[in-house]
């Protein structure tokens, strides 16, 4: 049986497995199997959070194989990144294409999806949290459907 714990060790549990899907199709398959078998399924980012919502006796999905910059529009100053991209990795990738995020949190090892989902703050009162910079995305629903949103 797998064991998972957050960065500080304050949260620890034993899911039935920790899955590392490498593409969207694999995520859809995992979600549909969990739905069909009624097994709990949780998505976990880098492990920075200590939320009691994470522990499960079911499966855990880590998005660490789904990372990197997917696209960038320098004229519009927008970029798309895969959910498992760590904030520091995103910053480095954006620097290479001469684009930057308006604000970063001080814990840059978080995944971008985790930081957006938990409304991770940035630095200073004049900046929105990271989720305030989101203009769209793509997600897999609990039924296994893929939705684009804006």
């Amino acid at each position: 049986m797998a064991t998972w714990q957050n960065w500080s060790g304050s949260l620890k549990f034993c899911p039935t497995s920790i899955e590392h899907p490498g593409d969207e199709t694999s995520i859809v398959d995992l979600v549909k199997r969990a739905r069909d078998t009624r097994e709990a399924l949780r998505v976990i980012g880098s492990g920075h959070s200590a939320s009691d919502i994470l522990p499960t006796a079911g499966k855990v999905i880590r998005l660490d194989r789904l990372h990197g910059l997917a696209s960038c529009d320098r004229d519009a100053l927008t970029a798309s990144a895969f959910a498992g991209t760590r904030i520091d990795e995103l910053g480095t990738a954006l620097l290479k294409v001469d684009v930057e995020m308006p604000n970063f949190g001080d814990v840059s090892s978080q995944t971008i999806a985790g930081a957006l989902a938990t409304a991770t703050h940035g630095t200073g009162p004049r900046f929105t949290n990271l989720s305030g910079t989101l203009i769209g995305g793509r997600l897999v629903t609990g039924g296994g459907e893929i939705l684009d949103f804006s």
Side-chain angles (χ1 to χ4, degrees), residues 58-138:
K59 287 184 177 163
V60 165
I61 295 179
R62 298 263 339 254
L63 299 174
D64 51 338
R65 290 184 55 208
L66 293 165
H67 64 95
L69 190 62
S71 66
C72 181
D73 182 337
R74 289 188 62 220
D75 294 333
L77 296 178
T78 61
S80 295
F82 294 102
T85 307
R86 292 182 183 268
I87 294 172
D88 53 0
E89 178 186 7
L90 180 58
T92 300
L94 290 173
L95 181 62
K96 289 178 182 176
V97 293
D98 200 28
V99 175
E100 61 187 4
M101 292 178 63
N103 195 12
F104 265 90
D106 65 343
V107 180
S108 62
S109 62
Q110 293 172 295
T111 62
I112 194 67
L116 292 169
T118 60
T120 295
H121 61 84
T123 53
R126 296 180 311 203
F127 296 100
T128 183
N129 61 23
L130 293 180
S131 57
T133 66
L134 182 68
I135 58 172
R138 190 168 168 90

